[in-house]
Coordinates of all heavy atoms in Angstrom, one line a residue:
W1 N 0.8 -1.2 0.0 CA 0.0 0.0 0.0 C 0.8 1.3 0.0 O 0.4 2.3 -0.4 CB -0.9 0.0 1.2 CG -2.0 -1.0 1.2 CD1 -2.1 -2.2 1.8 CD2 -3.3 -0.8 0.5 NE1 -3.3 -2.8 1.5 CE2 -4.0 -2.0 0.8 CE3 -3.8 0.2 -0.2 CZ2 -5.3 -2.2 0.3 CZ3 -5.1 0.0 -0.7 CH2 -5.8 -1.2 -0.5
T2 N 2.1 1.2 0.6 CA 2.8 2.5 0.6 C 3.2 2.9 -0.8 O 3.5 2.1 -1.7 CB 4.1 2.3 1.4 OG1 4.9 1.3 0.9 CG2 3.8 2.1 2.9
G3 N 3.0 4.2 -1.1 CA 3.2 4.7 -2.4 C 2.0 4.5 -3.4 O 2.1 4.9 -4.5
G4 N 1.0 3.9 -2.9 CA -0.2 3.6 -3.7 C -1.4 4.5 -3.4 O -1.3 5.4 -2.5
T5 N -2.5 4.3 -4.1 CA -3.7 5.1 -3.9 C -4.8 4.1 -3.5 O -5.0 3.1 -4.2 CB -4.1 5.9 -5.1 OG1 -3.0 6.7 -5.5 CG2 -5.3 6.6 -4.9
F6 N -5.4 4.4 -2.3 CA -6.6 3.6 -1.9 C -7.8 4.2 -2.4 O -8.0 5.4 -2.3 CB -6.6 3.6 -0.3 CG -7.8 2.9 0.2 CD1 -8.0 1.6 0.2 CD2 -8.8 3.7 0.8 CE1 -9.1 1.0 0.7 CE2 -10.0 3.1 1.3 CZ -10.1 1.7 1.2
R7 N -8.6 3.4 -3.1 CA -9.9 3.9 -3.7 C -11.0 3.1 -3.2 O -10.9 1.9 -3.1 CB -9.8 3.8 -5.3 CG -8.8 4.7 -5.9 CD -8.7 4.5 -7.4 NE -7.8 5.4 -8.1 CZ -6.5 5.2 -8.2 NH1 -6.0 4.1 -7.7 NH2 -5.7 6.1 -8.8
T8 N -12.1 3.7 -2.9 CA -13.3 3.0 -2.4 C -14.5 3.7 -2.9 O -14.6 4.9 -3.1 CB -13.2 2.9 -0.9 OG1 -14.3 2.1 -0.4 CG2 -13.2 4.3 -0.2
T9 N -15.6 3.0 -3.1 CA -16.9 3.5 -3.5 C -18.0 2.8 -2.7 O -17.9 1.6 -2.4 CB -17.1 3.1 -5.0 OG1 -16.1 3.7 -5.8 CG2 -18.5 3.7 -5.5
A10 N -19.0 3.6 -2.3 CA -20.2 3.1 -1.7 C -21.4 3.4 -2.5 O -21.5 4.5 -3.1 CB -20.3 3.7 -0.3
T11 N -22.4 2.5 -2.6 CA -23.6 2.7 -3.3 C -24.8 2.6 -2.4 O -24.7 2.2 -1.2 CB -23.7 1.7 -4.5 OG1 -23.7 0.4 -3.9 CG2 -22.6 1.8 -5.4
G12 N -25.9 3.0 -2.9 CA -27.2 2.9 -2.1 C -27.5 4.1 -1.3 O -28.4 4.1 -0.5
F13 N -26.9 5.3 -1.6 CA -27.2 6.5 -1.0 C -28.6 7.0 -1.4 O -29.0 6.9 -2.6 CB -26.2 7.6 -1.3 CG -24.9 7.5 -0.6 CD1 -23.8 6.8 -1.1 CD2 -24.7 8.1 0.7 CE1 -22.6 6.7 -0.4 CE2 -23.5 7.9 1.4 CZ -22.5 7.3 0.8
A14 N -29.4 7.5 -0.5 CA -30.7 8.1 -0.8 C -30.5 9.3 -1.7 O -29.4 10.0 -1.6 CB -31.4 8.5 0.5
S15 N -31.4 9.7 -2.5 CA -31.3 10.8 -3.4 C -31.2 12.2 -2.6 O -30.7 13.1 -3.2 CB -32.5 10.9 -4.3 OG -33.7 11.0 -3.6
T16 N -31.6 12.2 -1.4 CA -31.5 13.4 -0.6 C -30.4 13.4 0.4 O -30.4 14.2 1.3 CB -32.9 13.7 0.1 OG1 -33.1 12.5 1.0 CG2 -34.0 13.9 -0.9
A17 N -29.5 12.5 0.3 CA -28.5 12.3 1.3 C -27.1 12.9 0.9 O -26.8 13.1 -0.2 CB -28.2 10.8 1.5
L18 N -26.4 13.3 2.0 CA -25.0 13.6 1.9 C -24.2 12.4 2.4 O -24.7 11.7 3.2 CB -24.6 14.9 2.7 CG -25.2 16.2 2.2 CD1 -24.9 17.3 3.2 CD2 -24.7 16.5 0.8
G19 N -22.9 12.3 2.0 CA -22.1 11.2 2.5 C -20.9 11.8 3.2 O -20.5 13.0 3.0
A20 N -20.2 10.9 3.9 CA -18.9 11.3 4.5 C -18.0 10.1 4.5 O -18.5 8.9 4.8 CB -19.2 11.7 6.0
A21 N -16.8 10.3 4.1 CA -15.8 9.2 4.1 C -15.0 9.4 5.4 O -14.5 10.5 5.7 CB -14.9 9.3 2.9
V22 N -15.0 8.4 6.3 CA -14.4 8.5 7.6 C -13.1 7.6 7.6 O -13.2 6.4 7.2 CB -15.3 8.1 8.7 CG1 -14.7 8.2 10.1 CG2 -16.6 8.9 8.6
L23 N -12.0 8.1 8.0 CA -10.8 7.4 8.1 C -10.2 7.6 9.5 O -10.1 8.8 10.0 CB -9.8 7.9 7.1 CG -8.4 7.1 7.0 CD1 -8.6 5.7 6.4 CD2 -7.4 7.9 6.1
G24 N -9.8 6.5 10.2 CA -9.3 6.7 11.5 C -8.3 5.6 11.9 O -8.1 4.7 11.2
F25 N -7.7 5.8 13.0 CA -6.6 5.0 13.6 C -7.2 3.9 14.5 O -6.5 2.9 14.8 CB -5.5 5.8 14.3 CG -4.8 6.7 13.4 CD1 -5.0 8.1 13.5 CD2 -3.9 6.2 12.5 CE1 -4.4 9.0 12.7 CE2 -3.2 7.1 11.6 CZ -3.5 8.5 11.7
T26 N -8.4 4.0 14.9 CA -9.1 3.0 15.8 C -10.5 2.7 15.3 O -11.0 3.4 14.4 CB -9.2 3.5 17.2 OG1 -10.0 4.7 17.3 CG2 -7.8 3.8 17.8
S27 N -11.1 1.7 15.8 CA -12.4 1.3 15.5 C -13.3 1.3 16.8 O -13.3 0.4 17.5 CB -12.5 -0.1 14.9 OG -13.8 -0.5 14.5
P28 N -13.9 2.5 17.0 CA -14.6 2.6 18.3 C -15.8 1.7 18.5 O -16.2 1.3 19.6 CB -15.0 4.1 18.3 CG -15.0 4.5 16.9 CD -14.0 3.7 16.2
G29 N -16.5 1.4 17.4 CA -17.7 0.5 17.5 C -18.8 1.2 18.3 O -19.6 0.5 19.0
S30 N -19.0 2.5 18.2 CA -20.0 3.2 19.0 C -21.3 3.4 18.1 O -21.2 3.6 17.0 CB -19.5 4.6 19.3 OG -18.3 4.6 20.0
P31 N -22.4 3.2 18.8 CA -23.7 3.4 18.1 C -23.8 4.8 17.5 O -23.4 5.8 18.2 CB -24.8 3.2 19.1 CG -24.1 2.4 20.2 CD -22.6 2.8 20.2
L32 N -24.3 5.0 16.3 CA -24.4 6.4 15.8 C -25.4 7.2 16.6 O -25.3 8.5 16.5 CB -24.9 6.3 14.3 CG -23.9 5.7 13.3 CD1 -24.4 5.8 11.9 CD2 -22.6 6.5 13.4
T33 N -26.2 6.6 17.4 CA -27.1 7.4 18.2 C -26.4 8.3 19.2 O -26.9 9.3 19.8 CB -28.1 6.5 19.0 OG1 -27.4 5.5 19.7 CG2 -29.1 5.9 18.0
L34 N -25.1 7.9 19.5 CA -24.3 8.8 20.4 C -23.8 10.0 19.7 O -23.5 11.0 20.3 CB -23.0 8.0 20.9 CG -23.3 6.8 21.8 CD1 -22.0 6.1 22.1 CD2 -24.0 7.3 23.1
L35 N -23.8 10.0 18.3 CA -23.4 11.2 17.5 C -24.6 12.1 17.3 O -24.5 13.3 17.3 CB -22.8 10.8 16.2 CG -21.5 10.0 16.2 CD1 -21.1 9.7 14.8 CD2 -20.4 10.9 16.8
H36 N -25.8 11.5 17.0 CA -27.0 12.2 16.7 C -28.2 11.3 17.0 O -28.2 10.1 16.8 CB -27.0 12.6 15.2 CG -28.0 13.7 14.9 ND1 -29.3 13.4 14.6 CD2 -27.8 15.0 14.8 CE1 -29.9 14.5 14.4 NE2 -29.1 15.5 14.4
S37 N -29.2 11.9 17.5 CA -30.4 11.2 17.9 C -31.1 10.5 16.7 O -31.9 9.5 16.9 CB -31.4 12.1 18.6 OG -31.8 13.1 17.7
S38 N -30.8 10.9 15.5 CA -31.4 10.2 14.3 C -30.6 9.0 13.8 O -30.9 8.5 12.8 CB -31.6 11.2 13.2 OG -30.4 11.7 12.8
G39 N -29.6 8.6 14.6 CA -28.8 7.4 14.2 C -29.7 6.2 14.1 O -30.5 6.0 15.0
L40 N -29.6 5.4 13.1 CA -30.5 4.2 12.9 C -30.0 3.1 13.8 O -28.8 2.9 14.0 CB -30.5 3.8 11.4 CG -31.2 4.9 10.5 CD1 -31.1 4.3 9.1 CD2 -32.6 5.2 10.9
P41 N -30.9 2.2 14.2 CA -30.6 1.1 15.0 C -29.6 0.2 14.2 O -29.8 -0.1 13.0 CB -31.9 0.4 15.3 CG -32.9 1.4 15.1 CD -32.4 2.4 14.0
G42 N -28.6 -0.4 14.9 CA -27.7 -1.3 14.3 C -26.6 -0.6 13.5 O -25.7 -1.3 12.9
C43 N -26.6 0.7 13.4 CA -25.6 1.4 12.7 C -24.5 2.0 13.7 O -24.9 2.6 14.6 CB -26.2 2.6 11.9 SG -27.2 2.0 10.5
D44 N -23.3 1.6 13.4 CA -22.2 2.0 14.4 C -21.1 2.8 13.7 O -20.9 2.6 12.4 CB -21.6 0.7 14.9 CG -22.6 -0.1 15.8 OD1 -23.4 0.5 16.5 OD2 -22.5 -1.3 15.7
L45 N -20.4 3.6 14.4 CA -19.2 4.2 14.0 C -18.1 3.3 14.1 O -17.7 2.9 15.3 CB -19.0 5.5 14.8 CG -17.8 6.4 14.3 CD1 -18.0 6.9 12.9 CD2 -17.6 7.5 15.3
L46 N -17.6 2.8 13.0 CA -16.5 1.7 13.1 C -15.2 2.2 12.7 O -14.2 1.4 12.6 CB -17.0 0.6 12.1 CG -18.3 -0.1 12.5 CD1 -18.7 -1.1 11.5 CD2 -18.2 -0.7 13.9
A47 N -15.0 3.5 12.4 CA -13.8 4.2 12.1 C -13.7 5.5 12.9 O -14.6 6.3 12.7 CB -13.6 4.4 10.6
S48 N -12.7 5.6 13.7 CA -12.6 6.9 14.5 C -12.5 8.1 13.5 O -11.9 8.0 12.5 CB -11.4 6.9 15.4 OG -10.2 6.7 14.7
P49 N -13.2 9.2 13.8 CA -13.2 10.3 12.9 C -12.0 11.2 12.9 O -12.0 12.4 13.1 CB -14.5 11.1 13.3 CG -14.6 10.8 14.8 CD -14.1 9.4 14.9
D50 N -10.8 10.5 12.7 CA -9.6 11.3 12.6 C -9.5 12.1 11.3 O -8.8 13.2 11.3 CB -8.4 10.4 12.7 CG -8.4 9.6 14.0 OD1 -8.4 10.3 15.1 OD2 -8.3 8.4 14.0
S51 N -10.1 11.7 10.3 CA -10.3 12.4 9.0 C -11.7 12.1 8.5 O -12.1 11.0 8.3 CB -9.2 11.9 8.0 OG -9.4 12.5 6.7
V52 N -12.4 13.2 8.2 CA -13.7 13.1 7.6 C -13.8 14.0 6.4 O -13.5 15.2 6.5 CB -14.8 13.5 8.7 CG1 -16.2 13.4 8.1 CG2 -14.7 12.7 10.0
V53 N -14.3 13.4 5.3 CA -14.4 14.2 4.1 C -15.9 14.2 3.7 O -16.5 13.1 3.5 CB -13.6 13.6 2.9 CG1 -13.8 14.3 1.6 CG2 -12.1 13.6 3.4
L54 N -16.5 15.3 3.5 CA -17.9 15.4 3.0 C -18.0 15.1 1.6 O -17.1 15.5 0.8 CB -18.4 16.9 3.3 CG -19.9 17.1 2.9 CD1 -20.8 16.3 3.7 CD2 -20.2 18.6 3.0
L55 N -19.0 14.3 1.2 CA -19.1 13.8 -0.2 C -20.6 14.1 -0.6 O -21.5 14.0 0.2 CB -18.9 12.3 -0.3 CG -17.5 11.8 0.2 CD1 -17.5 10.3 0.2 CD2 -16.4 12.3 -0.8
V56 N -20.7 14.4 -1.9 CA -22.1 14.6 -2.5 C -22.3 13.4 -3.4 O -21.7 13.4 -4.5 CB -22.2 15.9 -3.2 CG1 -23.6 16.1 -3.8 CG2 -21.9 17.1 -2.3
P57 N -23.1 12.4 -3.0 CA -23.3 11.3 -3.9 C -24.0 11.7 -5.2 O -24.7 12.6 -5.3 CB -24.2 10.4 -3.1 CG -24.0 10.8 -1.7 CD -23.8 12.3 -1.8
A58 N -23.6 10.9 -6.3 CA -24.2 11.1 -7.6 C -24.8 9.8 -8.0 O -24.1 8.7 -7.9 CB -23.2 11.6 -8.6
A59 N -26.1 9.8 -8.4 CA -26.8 8.5 -8.8 C -26.7 7.5 -7.7 O -26.5 6.3 -8.0 CB -26.3 8.1 -10.1
G60 N -26.7 7.9 -6.4 CA -26.7 6.9 -5.3 C -25.3 6.4 -5.0 O -25.3 5.5 -4.2
A61 N -24.3 6.9 -5.5 CA -22.9 6.4 -5.3 C -22.0 7.6 -4.9 O -22.1 8.7 -5.3 CB -22.4 5.7 -6.5
A62 N -21.0 7.2 -4.0 CA -20.0 8.2 -3.6 C -18.7 7.5 -3.7 O -18.5 6.3 -3.2 CB -20.3 8.7 -2.2
A63 N -17.7 8.1 -4.2 CA -16.3 7.6 -4.3 C -15.3 8.5 -3.6 O -15.5 9.7 -3.5 CB -15.9 7.4 -5.8
W64 N -14.3 7.8 -3.1 CA -13.3 8.6 -2.3 C -11.9 7.9 -2.5 O -11.9 6.7 -2.7 CB -13.7 8.6 -0.8 CG -12.7 9.4 0.0 CD1 -12.4 10.7 0.0 CD2 -11.9 8.8 1.0 NE1 -11.5 11.0 1.0 CE2 -11.2 9.9 1.6 CE3 -11.7 7.5 1.5 CZ2 -10.3 9.7 2.7 CZ3 -10.8 7.3 2.6 CH2 -10.1 8.4 3.1
Q65 N -10.9 8.7 -2.4 CA -9.5 8.1 -2.5 C -8.5 8.9 -1.8 O -8.7 10.1 -1.5 CB -9.1 7.9 -4.0 CG -8.8 9.3 -4.7 CD -8.4 9.1 -6.1 OE1 -8.8 8.1 -6.8 NE2 -7.6 10.0 -6.6
F66 N -7.4 8.2 -1.4 CA -6.3 9.0 -0.8 C -5.0 8.2 -1.1 O -5.0 7.0 -1.3 CB -6.5 9.2 0.7 CG -6.3 7.9 1.6 CD1 -5.1 7.6 2.2 CD2 -7.4 7.1 1.8 CE1 -5.0 6.5 2.9 CE2 -7.3 6.0 2.6 CZ -6.1 5.7 3.2
T67 N -4.0 9.0 -1.2 CA -2.6 8.5 -1.5 C -1.9 8.2 -0.2 O -1.8 9.1 0.7 CB -1.9 9.4 -2.4 OG1 -2.7 9.6 -3.6 CG2 -0.5 8.9 -2.8
I68 N -1.2 7.1 -0.2 CA -0.4 6.7 1.0 C 1.1 7.1 0.7 O 1.6 6.6 -0.4 CB -0.6 5.3 1.4 CG1 -2.0 5.0 1.7 CG2 0.3 4.9 2.5 CD1 -2.4 3.6 1.6
P69 N 1.8 7.8 1.5 CA 3.1 8.2 1.2 C 4.0 7.0 0.9 O 3.8 5.9 1.5 CB 3.6 9.0 2.4 CG 2.4 9.5 3.0 CD 1.3 8.4 2.8
D70 N 4.9 7.1 0.0 CA 5.9 6.0 -0.3 C 7.0 6.0 0.7 O 8.1 6.5 0.3 CB 6.4 6.2 -1.8 CG 7.1 5.0 -2.2 OD1 7.1 3.9 -1.5 OD2 7.7 5.0 -3.3
D71 N 6.8 5.6 1.9 CA 7.8 5.6 2.9 C 7.5 4.4 3.8 O 6.5 4.1 4.3 CB 7.6 6.9 3.8 CG 8.7 7.1 4.8 OD1 9.3 6.1 5.2 OD2 8.9 8.2 5.2
P72 N 8.6 3.5 3.9 CA 8.4 2.3 4.7 C 8.1 2.6 6.2 O 7.7 1.6 6.9 CB 9.8 1.6 4.5 CG 10.7 2.6 4.0 CD 9.9 3.7 3.3
F73 N 8.2 3.8 6.6 CA 7.8 4.1 8.0 C 6.4 3.8 8.3 O 6.0 3.4 9.4 CB 8.0 5.6 8.2 CG 7.5 6.1 9.5 CD1 8.1 5.9 10.7 CD2 6.2 6.8 9.5 CE1 7.6 6.4 11.9 CE2 5.7 7.2 10.7 CZ 6.4 7.0 11.9
F74 N 5.5 3.9 7.2 CA 4.1 3.6 7.4 C 3.7 2.1 7.4 O 2.6 1.8 7.7 CB 3.3 4.4 6.3 CG 3.4 5.8 6.5 CD1 4.2 6.6 5.7 CD2 2.7 6.5 7.5 CE1 4.3 8.0 5.8 CE2 2.7 7.9 7.7 CZ 3.6 8.6 6.8
A75 N 4.7 1.3 7.1 CA 4.4 -0.2 7.0 C 4.0 -0.6 8.4 O 4.6 -0.3 9.4 CB 5.6 -0.9 6.6
G76 N 2.9 -1.4 8.5 CA 2.4 -1.9 9.7 C 1.3 -1.0 10.3 O 0.6 -1.5 11.2
F77 N 1.1 0.2 9.9 CA 0.0 1.1 10.4 C -1.3 0.4 10.0 O -1.5 -0.1 8.9 CB 0.0 2.5 9.7 CG 0.9 3.4 10.5 CD1 2.3 3.3 10.5 CD2 0.3 4.5 11.1 CE1 3.1 4.2 11.1 CE2 1.1 5.5 11.7 CZ 2.5 5.3 11.8
V78 N -2.3 0.5 10.9 CA -3.6 0.0 10.6 C -4.6 1.2 10.5 O -4.6 2.0 11.5 CB -4.1 -1.0 11.7 CG1 -5.5 -1.5 11.4 CG2 -3.2 -2.2 11.7
L79 N -5.3 1.3 9.5 CA -6.3 2.3 9.3 C -7.7 1.7 9.2 O -7.8 0.6 8.6 CB -6.0 3.1 8.1 CG -4.7 3.9 8.0 CD1 -4.5 4.5 6.7 CD2 -4.6 4.9 9.1
F80 N -8.7 2.4 9.6 CA -10.1 1.9 9.5 C -10.9 3.0 8.7 O -10.7 4.2 8.8 CB -10.7 1.8 10.9 CG -10.1 0.8 11.7 CD1 -9.0 1.1 12.5 CD2 -10.5 -0.5 11.7 CE1 -8.3 0.2 13.3 CE2 -9.8 -1.5 12.4 CZ -8.7 -1.1 13.2
H81 N -11.7 2.5 7.8 CA -12.5 3.4 6.8 C -13.9 2.9 6.7 O -14.2 1.7 6.7 CB -11.8 3.3 5.5 CG -12.7 3.9 4.4 ND1 -13.1 5.2 4.4 CD2 -13.3 3.3 3.4 CE1 -13.9 5.4 3.3 NE2 -14.0 4.2 2.7
Q82 N -14.8 3.9 6.7 CA -16.2 3.6 6.4 C -16.9 4.8 5.8 O -16.3 5.9 5.9 CB -17.0 3.0 7.6 CG -17.4 4.0 8.6 CD -18.2 3.5 9.7 OE1 -18.0 3.9 10.8 NE2 -19.2 2.6 9.5
F83 N -18.1 4.6 5.3 CA -18.9 5.7 4.8 C -20.1 6.0 5.8 O -20.6 5.0 6.3 CB -19.5 5.4 3.4 CG -18.5 5.5 2.3 CD1 -17.9 4.4 1.8 CD2 -18.2 6.8 1.7 CE1 -16.9 4.5 0.8 CE2 -17.3 6.8 0.7 CZ -16.7 5.7 0.2
L84 N -20.4 7.2 5.9 CA -21.7 7.6 6.7 C -22.6 8.2 5.7 O -22.2 8.9 4.7 CB -21.3 8.5 7.8 CG -20.4 8.1 8.9 CD1 -20.2 9.1 10.0 CD2 -20.8 6.8 9.5
Q85 N -23.9 8.1 6.0 CA -25.0 8.7 5.2 C -25.8 9.6 6.1 O -26.3 9.1 7.1 CB -25.8 7.7 4.5 CG -27.0 8.3 3.8 CD -27.9 7.3 3.1 OE1 -27.9 7.1 1.9 NE2 -28.7 6.5 3.9
V86 N -26.0 10.8 5.7 CA -26.9 11.8 6.4 C -28.0 12.1 5.4 O -27.8 12.7 4.4 CB -26.1 13.1 6.8 CG1 -27.1 14.0 7.5 CG2 -24.9 12.8 7.6
D87 N -29.2 11.5 5.7 CA -30.3 11.7 4.9 C -31.1 12.9 5.4 O -31.4 13.1 6.6 CB -31.3 10.5 4.9 CG -32.3 10.5 3.8 OD1 -32.1 11.3 2.8 OD2 -33.2 9.6 3.8
L88 N -31.4 13.9 4.4 CA -32.0 15.2 4.8 C -33.3 15.3 4.1 O -33.6 14.7 3.1 CB -31.1 16.3 4.2 CG -29.6 16.3 4.7 CD1 -28.8 17.3 3.9 CD2 -29.5 16.5 6.2
D89 N -34.2 16.1 4.8 CA -35.5 16.3 4.2 C -35.4 17.6 3.3 O -34.3 18.2 3.2 CB -36.6 16.4 5.2 CG -36.5 17.6 6.2 OD1 -35.7 18.5 5.9 OD2 -37.2 17.6 7.2
V90 N -36.5 18.1 2.8 CA -36.4 19.2 1.9 C -36.0 20.5 2.6 O -35.5 21.5 2.0 CB -37.8 19.5 1.1 CG1 -38.0 18.3 0.2 CG2 -38.9 19.6 2.1
A91 N -36.2 20.6 3.9 CA -35.8 21.7 4.7 C -34.4 21.6 5.2 O -33.9 22.4 6.1 CB -36.8 22.0 5.8
Q92 N -33.7 20.5 4.8 CA -32.3 20.2 5.2 C -32.2 19.8 6.6 O -31.1 19.8 7.2 CB -31.3 21.4 4.9 CG -31.3 21.9 3.5 CD -31.0 20.8 2.5 OE1 -30.0 20.1 2.7 NE2 -31.8 20.6 1.5
A93 N -33.3 19.3 7.2 CA -33.2 18.7 8.6 C -32.8 17.3 8.4 O -33.1 16.6 7.4 CB -34.6 18.8 9.2
V94 N -32.1 16.8 9.4 CA -31.6 15.4 9.4 C -32.7 14.4 9.6 O -33.4 14.5 10.7 CB -30.5 15.2 10.4 CG1 -30.0 13.7 10.4 CG2 -29.3 16.1 10.1
L95 N -33.0 13.5 8.7 CA -34.0 12.5 8.8 C -33.3 11.3 9.5 O -34.0 10.6 10.3 CB -34.5 12.1 7.5 CG -35.4 13.1 6.7 CD1 -35.7 12.6 5.3 CD2 -36.6 13.4 7.5
S96 N -32.1 10.9 9.0 CA -31.5 9.7 9.6 C -30.0 9.8 9.4 O -29.5 10.5 8.5 CB -32.0 8.4 9.0 OG -31.7 8.3 7.6
L97 N -29.3 9.0 10.2 CA -27.8 8.9 10.1 C -27.6 7.4 10.1 O -28.0 6.7 11.0 CB -27.2 9.5 11.3 CG -25.6 9.5 11.4 CD1 -25.0 10.2 10.2 CD2 -25.2 10.1 12.7
S98 N -26.9 6.9 9.0 CA -26.6 5.5 8.9 C -25.1 5.3 8.4 O -24.5 6.3 8.1 CB -27.5 4.8 7.9 OG -27.5 5.5 6.7
S99 N -24.7 4.1 8.4 CA -23.3 3.8 8.1 C -23.1 2.5 7.3 O -24.0 1.6 7.3 CB -22.5 3.7 9.4 OG -23.0 2.6 10.2
S100 N -22.0 2.5 6.6 CA -21.6 1.2 5.9 C -20.9 0.3 6.8 O -20.6 0.7 7.9 CB -20.7 1.6 4.7 OG -19.5 2.1 5.2
N101 N -20.5 -0.8 6.3 CA -19.5 -1.7 7.0 C -18.2 -0.9 6.9 O -18.0 0.1 6.2 CB -19.4 -3.0 6.3 CG -20.7 -3.8 6.4 OD1 -21.4 -3.7 7.4 ND2 -20.9 -4.7 5.4
A102 N -17.2 -1.4 7.7 CA -15.9 -0.8 7.7 C -14.9 -1.7 7.0 O -15.1 -2.9 6.9 CB -15.5 -0.5 9.1
Q103 N -13.8 -1.1 6.7 CA -12.6 -1.8 6.1 C -11.5 -1.5 7.0 O -11.3 -0.4 7.5 CB -12.3 -1.3 4.7 CG -13.4 -1.5 3.7 CD -13.0 -0.9 2.4 OE1 -12.7 0.3 2.3 NE2 -13.2 -1.7 1.3
A104 N -10.7 -2.5 7.3 CA -9.4 -2.4 8.1 C -8.3 -2.5 7.1 O -8.3 -3.5 6.3 CB -9.3 -3.4 9.2
L105 N -7.4 -1.6 7.0 CA -6.3 -1.6 6.1 C -5.0 -1.7 6.9 O -4.7 -0.9 7.7 CB -6.3 -0.3 5.3 CG -7.6 0.2 4.7 CD1 -7.5 1.6 4.2 CD2 -7.9 -0.7 3.5
T106 N -4.2 -2.6 6.5 CA -2.9 -2.7 7.1 C -1.9 -2.3 6.0 O -1.7 -3.0 5.0 CB -2.5 -4.2 7.6 OG1 -3.5 -4.6 8.6 CG2 -1.2 -4.2 8.2
L107 N -1.2 -1.2 6.3 CA -0.3 -0.6 5.3 C 1.0 -1.5 5.3 O 1.4 -2.0 6.3 CB 0.1 0.8 5.6 CG -1.1 1.7 5.8 CD1 -0.6 3.2 6.0 CD2 -2.0 1.7 4.6
G108 N 1.6 -1.6 4.1 CA 2.8 -2.4 4.0 C 3.5 -2.1 2.7 O 3.1 -1.3 1.9
T109 N 4.7 -2.6 2.6 CA 5.5 -2.5 1.4 C 5.8 -3.9 0.9 O 6.2 -4.7 1.6 CB 6.9 -1.8 1.8 OG1 6.6 -0.5 2.4 CG2 7.7 -1.6 0.6
F110 N 5.5 -4.1 -0.4 CA 5.6 -5.4 -1.0 C 6.6 -5.3 -2.1 O 6.7 -4.4 -2.8 CB 4.3 -5.9 -1.5 CG 3.2 -5.9 -0.4 CD1 2.3 -4.9 -0.2 CD2 3.2 -6.9 0.5 CE1 1.4 -4.9 0.8 CE2 2.3 -7.0 1.5 CZ 1.3 -5.9 1.6

């Protein structure tokens, strides 16, 4: 992974939703209801929000990527990534907060 680009895509976003790509160093496993009262049951924050990028899905999909520095220092680092969905009504009030599954990435040099 060092020196490479990590690319990921999530589908199934509601037409009125915004997305967020979350990247973190830990996996807290916290229910989204702790972030906002509209968090859906069974949806958890599985990547600590060390980096959060707002995304505007198109046709129900959102894509995100980041480049990992080409430095063996990063070998062995573990990163956690997931997408969040904030579904909004026409007045931009939050209807629901939901999440994707998470990915655990172990950086390395091959």
Side-chain angles (χ1 to χ4, degrees):
W1 290 97
T2 56
T5 300
F6 174 74
R7 292 177 177 87
T8 185
T9 301
T11 60
F13 282 93
S15 61
T16 58
L18 293 176
V22 181
L23 183 71
F25 296 108
T26 63
S27 181
S30 304
L32 290 183
T33 53
L34 294 177
L35 295 177
H36 195 277
S37 60
S38 64
L40 295 180
C43 290
D44 296 322
L45 182 64
L46 301 173
S48 58
D50 298 306
S51 173
V52 179
V53 177
L54 181 65
L55 303 169
V56 179
W64 180 68
Q65 67 181 32
F66 70 96
T67 301
I68 301 163
D70 190 10
D71 188 333
F73 170 79
F74 294 103
F77 272 67
V78 177
L79 299 174
F80 298 89
H81 164 66
Q82 81 177 136
F83 285 97
L84 299 181
Q85 172 179 255
V86 181
D87 196 11
L88 305 169
D89 66 13
V90 293
Q92 304 304 310
V94 176
L95 292 174
S96 66
L97 179 61
S98 57
S99 60
S100 69
N101 293 331
Q103 296 174 312
L105 311 164
T106 301
L107 305 184
T109 301
F110 304 97

